Amino acid sequence: MERMSAPARLLALRLQGFKSFAERTIVEFGPGISAVVGPNGSGKSNLADALRWSLGEQGRALRSRKSEDVIFAGSEKRSALGMADVTLVLDNGDGLLPVDFSVLELGRRLYRSGENDYLLNKQRIRLRDLVDLLDGAHLADNAFLFIGQGMVDQALALRPEERRPLFEEVAGVRRHERRRRKAEDQLVESETNLARVEDILAELRPQARRLAAQAEQQATRLTAGEELADALIAVAHVRWHEAATTASAAAARVERERGEADRAMRDLQSAEEAAAAIAAELSARVATERERLAAHEHARGAVTELRLRDARLAGDLEAIARDRTRLQAERETAEASLAVQRRSLSLPIQPRDHELDAAVAEAERLAAEASGELASLRAATRARGEEAAAIRRAEAARQADSETARRRLADAARRLDAEHASATELAGRRADLEARQAAAHEALEAAIAATTEASDQRERTRTAAIEADARRRAAVERSAGAAAALAAQQARLETLDRRLREEAERGIARAAKRRGGRRLDEELVVDAGLRAAVEAALDELGRAYLVDQSVAGELATERGVLVVRERLDGTVPVDAAVRRFAEHLAAAGGSSLADAIRRDPTGAVTKLLARMAVVADLPTALALQPTLPAGWALVVRDGSAVVTGATVRLGHGDAPLERRAEAERLRSDVARLSDEADAAAAAMLAAEGIATETRSAFEIATADEARAVAERRRAEEAERATARELEAVIREAGWHAAQIERLTGDV
């Protein structure tokens, strides 16, 4: 007896752009056990990662640091892709997954821009919906869904308490545990909502009692519905008042913020006024410093004059001291002569002898007589001698005074000439120093002006550099954003173009084109608002090829859909059923779907849609279903359902028209973004050039300011040195002028 293998649950795995699978790759799985064999680096582990990734794995076991790492990063011969796409095809014939599809396609797409899409039979769903769907089949967060190398040994080496989660997983307890946790979370959330409702009820109970009292007073003329309406209105009023209170609080907050902003503006204005006042004060201080400098110069001149006067007075004091010394010497000489005379007068007198006294008296008488005569003679002689001595003394004194005067005059003249020469030399040095001081002052003023100008230029260039750098950063951000948006749109456009090329290059497409066939939707233009309805109505016919009847038999070996040109009939017989349906359709606001066609080169689509109508929603379509004539169909405007006489087909099908429209839209977006990226790149280059120029200008201005500051310091030092030297020369010239004045007086 031959043993049959169980049908395969996993039917196929389609990959494109996932890790090492750059090309579109389809791996089909048959009944039994499927094995993937290959050398190291051939991508076996990437297949397992693709399975995990398609089931919602968020990167914990994908051997990647970030989500974008799963997208093909490029190689030496192939550029990087912008999207990773993995689709898992499962057999759901036994209803393992709680959805009404016998074949499930679970897909996941990740764009390099960060967009992440989860697909169920090509319809976008949420990750939470995918997890709930897999959890219904015990496939969500199942530790035994993927068994890697070494997991069996690890399971055998676990301790009993560590094996319990594994047994619970095998027994299906973990699934119920997850549901229990989810139910507990929902219960906690419900309890929170219930507590909030109780709080609201507690707030409304006083109002309800007040309303009940009022209702009792008006019970005779109000019904229960009116009471309920009043209660609802009261609650609405309360909520309106709360909203008004919130709005008032927000308005008050806005007013406060505006007040704070006004205060900040006033503070800023005060700060600016304070800065202006400080600048004015600095200007006043500069003027005061200049006035004080002028006063200092005047005081320095007065001090110089006082020093000259002091020098003249010192010369006069020296002359007086010399005269005093001379007079002191003459006084000492006179005092010595007086002392000699006093000693001569102080000699003792001998004792008196009377005889001798008599003889002496006689002798004195005789002598007196003789003395009288002699005295008369001597008097005459003495008079003549004294006169001659006086003449001699006067002559000697005049000669001594004349000699002294000549010596003093010669010395004074010599010293006066030397002082005149020194004064002349100092006058030249003073004139030279005054010229040098004036030049140094002019150089200092020029250096101060140059420093101020250099500082202003540096500040202007710094501001310009900051603004240019800000514009450069903004341009770089705009360029990066435009480049990123362009890359994302190009990646999506490449994906769409690749799918369109694949559809256009599959077997039946090439074979039909070789035999004169044409794609049914080629150059087809549909009203954008009804594109989804047209796609739902055409379904697989959207990818069909229009061929002649003679060619259709030659394409028997191909797979696909063909439309025979000779079998198309666009005539619609108008009978009572059709007229009745048209009336109901017009009353429901529907219209013929063929009116949505704007351009149909072959006319085939218009003929195919001749017996199809479009309505607003599914309830309208179900209401019109009993009135449908034979062969007619109703399509919901959004393409979510197609209703025929006995069937209702739900769900969106494939969307080739939407893909083509999206591709055209993406091409226009790519062209626009390319222009924007080029403009942003050009603006970025221009901004970088301007920023470089402004930085260079700022560096040059900084260097100029440093040189101007150094030149100002040198000019200040030169002016101070010249001022010190000129002051010393002025003091020395004053001293020499005093000496000249004294010596002139001496002469």
Side-chain angles (χ1 to χ4, degrees):
M1 181 177 179
E2 184 179 357
R3 182 178 179 182
M4 299 296 291
S5 299
R9 173 74 66 184
L10 178 61
L11 300 179
L13 179 66
R14 295 196 294 266
L15 307 95
Q16 183 175 1
F18 183 83
K19 288 194 174 182
S20 60
F21 295 96
E23 299 290 342
R24 186 176 181 85
T25 304
I26 300 177
V27 180
E28 296 182 352
F29 299 93
I33 297 176
S34 298
V36 180
V37 182
N40 292 334
S42 60
K44 302 186 300 298
S45 300
N46 291 342
L47 287 175
D49 292 343
L51 291 172
R52 291 190 180 94
W53 191 68
S54 64
L55 293 179
E57 177 64 43
Q58 297 301 313
R60 294 187 297 271
L62 296 178
R63 300 173 297 153
S64 60
R65 291 179 296 178
K66 53 184 180 179
S67 60
E68 290 83 0
D69 291 343
V70 302
I71 303 176
F72 180 70
S75 62
E76 296 178 355
K77 298 181 180 180
R78 187 180 180 91
S79 60
L81 298 181
M83 180 191 73
D85 186 5
V86 176
T87 302
L88 191 65
V89 183
L90 299 174
D91 183 9
N92 193 35
D94 56 355
L96 177 64
L97 295 173
V99 289
D100 296 333
F101 295 104
S102 59
V103 177
L104 284 181
E105 292 186 3
L106 302 178
R108 183 176 180 181
R109 292 175 184 171
L110 175 64
Y111 297 95
R112 201 170 288 278
S113 59
E115 299 178 9
N116 205 346
D117 295 338
Y118 296 92
L119 305 174
L120 175 61
N121 283 6
K122 300 180 181 179
Q123 300 298 319
R124 185 178 298 177
I125 61 174
R126 300 177 301 175
L127 175 60
R128 182 175 180 180
D129 299 333
L130 177 62
V131 173
D132 292 340
L133 178 63
L134 295 176
D135 190 43
H138 195 45
L139 297 178
D141 196 15
N142 191 339
F144 299 99
L145 192 60
F146 299 96
I147 299 177
Q149 183 178 1
M151 288 184 62
V152 177
D153 295 336
Q154 293 177 4
L156 294 176
L158 292 176
R159 292 177 297 179
E161 61 271 14
E162 294 175 345
R163 292 179 183 174
R164 179 178 179 179
L166 299 180
F167 292 138
E168 291 178 351
E169 188 72 42
V170 174
V173 177
R174 295 288 295 276
R175 173 186 177 186
H176 299 291
E177 182 68 22
R178 287 192 297 270
R179 292 184 176 180
R180 184 180 64 81
R181 287 197 300 269
K182 182 178 179 181
E184 289 176 351
D185 295 337
Q186 293 177 352
L187 182 59
V188 170
E189 184 178 0
S190 300
E191 290 176 351
T192 304
N193 295 333
L194 182 60
R196 177 58 182 162
V197 170
E198 290 178 353
D199 294 338
I200 295 173
L201 290 176
E203 294 177 358
L204 295 178
R205 282 193 184 97
Q207 300 177 7
R209 286 194 294 270
R210 186 171 62 255
L211 292 174
Q214 296 175 0
E216 290 177 358
Q217 296 175 0
Q218 300 178 0
T220 56
R221 57 186 182 86
L222 293 179
T223 63
E226 292 174 349
E227 293 176 0
L228 179 60
D230 290 340
L232 293 176
I233 291 173
V235 172
H237 276 290
V238 170
R239 292 183 178 178
W240 182 83
H241 284 300
E242 290 178 354
T245 304
T246 304
S248 301
R253 187 166 59 254
V254 170
E255 291 297 328
R256 287 197 301 273
E257 296 294 335
R258 287 179 179 173
E260 292 178 358
D262 294 337
R263 284 195 297 275
M265 290 298 295
R266 288 195 295 272
D267 294 340
L268 178 60
Q269 187 175 2
S270 301
E272 291 178 352
E273 293 176 356
I278 291 172
E281 185 179 356
L282 289 177
S283 301
R285 288 185 178 180
V286 170
T288 305
E289 184 179 359
R290 290 178 180 174
E291 293 177 357
R292 290 180 178 176
L293 182 61
H296 175 68
E297 294 294 335
H298 180 71
R300 188 165 58 183
V303 169
T304 302
E305 292 179 359
L306 291 175
R307 287 178 178 174
L308 292 176
R309 183 179 177 185
D310 188 21
R312 288 196 300 271
L313 293 176
D316 294 340
L317 289 175
E318 289 179 359
I320 293 171
R322 286 194 301 270
D323 293 339
R324 184 177 180 181
T325 303
R326 181 174 56 80
L327 292 174
Q328 186 69 27
E330 292 177 357
R331 180 179 179 182
E332 289 176 356
T333 303
E335 288 178 354
S337 177
L338 180 61
V340 171
Q341 291 179 4
R342 284 178 178 176
R343 282 195 302 271
S344 64
L345 292 176
S346 63
L347 294 176
I349 302 175
Q350 295 179 358
R352 178 176 295 179
D353 190 357
H354 295 289
E355 293 179 357
L356 183 57
D357 288 336
V360 169
E362 184 63 24
E364 285 180 355
R365 185 181 62 74
L366 294 175
E369 294 178 356
S371 295
E373 295 179 359
L374 180 61
S376 60
L377 293 173
R378 286 181 177 175
T381 303
R382 188 180 304 113
R384 289 193 295 273
E386 288 178 356
E387 184 177 0
I391 291 171
R392 286 194 298 272
R393 286 195 302 271
E395 183 67 24
R398 284 196 298 273
Q399 289 179 356
D401 291 339
S402 177
E403 184 66 26
T404 301
R406 280 195 300 273
R407 286 196 304 271
R408 291 181 62 189
L409 179 61
D411 183 56
R414 179 179 56 77
R415 292 174 61 187
L416 182 61
D417 292 338
E419 293 295 336
H420 275 298
S422 298
T424 303
E425 181 182 359
L426 288 174
R429 288 181 59 193
R430 180 176 180 178
D432 182 50
L433 287 174
E434 287 177 349
R436 287 171 55 191
Q437 187 183 26
H441 186 68
E442 293 177 357
L444 177 59
E445 291 181 350
I448 291 173
T451 303
T452 304
E453 179 64 26
S455 179
D456 295 340
Q457 181 66 21
R458 178 187 61 79
E459 189 64 25
R460 288 193 297 269
T461 54
R462 184 181 70 84
T463 304
I466 292 173
E467 293 177 354
D469 192 56
R471 288 194 296 270
R472 180 189 63 80
R473 288 196 297 270
V476 169
E477 291 177 358
R478 286 195 299 270
S479 178
L486 177 60
Q489 294 297 85
Q490 284 178 343
R492 297 182 64 182
L493 180 59
E494 289 177 0
T495 303
L496 284 176
D497 287 341
R498 189 179 301 110
R499 292 191 61 182
L500 292 175
R501 285 195 302 271
E502 289 175 356
E503 292 179 356
E505 294 176 358
R506 58 183 180 174
I508 191 172
R510 289 193 296 270
K513 287 180 179 180
R514 283 197 300 269
R515 292 168 175 79
R518 183 173 181 176
R519 179 76 177 254
L520 195 65
D521 59 354
E522 186 175 352
E523 299 182 6
L524 181 65
V525 179
V526 182
D527 189 357
L530 296 174
R531 187 180 296 124
V534 172
E535 287 180 341
L538 293 177
D539 197 19
E540 290 296 328
L541 292 177
R543 292 191 297 270
Y545 280 83
L546 183 64
V547 297
D548 297 332
Q549 184 176 1
S550 59
V551 176
E554 300 176 3
L555 301 175
T557 59
E558 303 293 339
R559 292 185 61 187
V561 181
L562 297 176
V563 176
V564 180
R565 185 178 284 108
E566 290 80 1
R567 295 293 181 265
L568 286 174
D569 185 10
T571 61
V572 179
V574 180
D575 52 10
V578 173
R579 284 193 296 271
R580 186 168 57 255
F581 171 71
E583 293 175 357
H584 289 291
L585 180 65
S591 62
S592 175
L593 190 57
D595 296 339
I597 306 301
R598 295 289 178 262
R599 185 171 182 272
D600 186 9
T602 62
V605 177
T606 304
K607 295 177 180 179
L608 290 173
L609 300 179
R611 289 178 172 83
M612 291 190 179
V614 60
V615 293
D617 49 23
L618 182 58
T620 304
L622 294 176
L624 293 176
Q625 187 179 18
T627 64
L628 275 175
W632 282 72
L634 288 170
V635 184
V636 179
R637 180 178 292 272
D638 60 359
S640 60
V642 177
V643 178
T644 62
T647 62
V648 177
R649 177 163 56 86
L650 300 176
H652 294 273
D654 200 2
L657 295 178
E658 187 65 29
R659 282 200 299 273
R660 289 177 182 273
E662 185 178 2
E664 293 299 328
R665 185 172 63 255
L666 287 177
R667 285 191 183 90
S668 62
D669 291 343
V670 166
R672 177 180 56 80
L673 291 175
S674 179
D675 295 338
E676 292 179 359
D678 294 339
M684 180 184 68
L685 293 177
E688 287 180 351
I690 294 174
T692 303
E693 292 177 0
T694 53
R695 282 196 297 269
S696 301
F698 175 68
E699 293 174 356
I700 293 172
T702 303
D704 293 342
E705 184 186 15
R707 286 194 296 270
V709 170
E711 188 65 28
R712 176 181 176 179
R713 291 176 180 172
R714 286 195 294 269
E716 289 176 349
E717 185 62 30
E719 186 189 23
R720 285 195 293 269
T722 306
R724 288 195 299 269
E725 189 175 356
L726 178 61
E727 185 177 358
V729 169
I730 290 173
R731 287 198 301 269
E732 189 175 357
W735 185 82
H736 283 292
Q739 292 297 321
I740 289 172
E741 186 177 357
R742 184 179 61 80
L743 291 174
T744 301
D746 290 344
V747 170

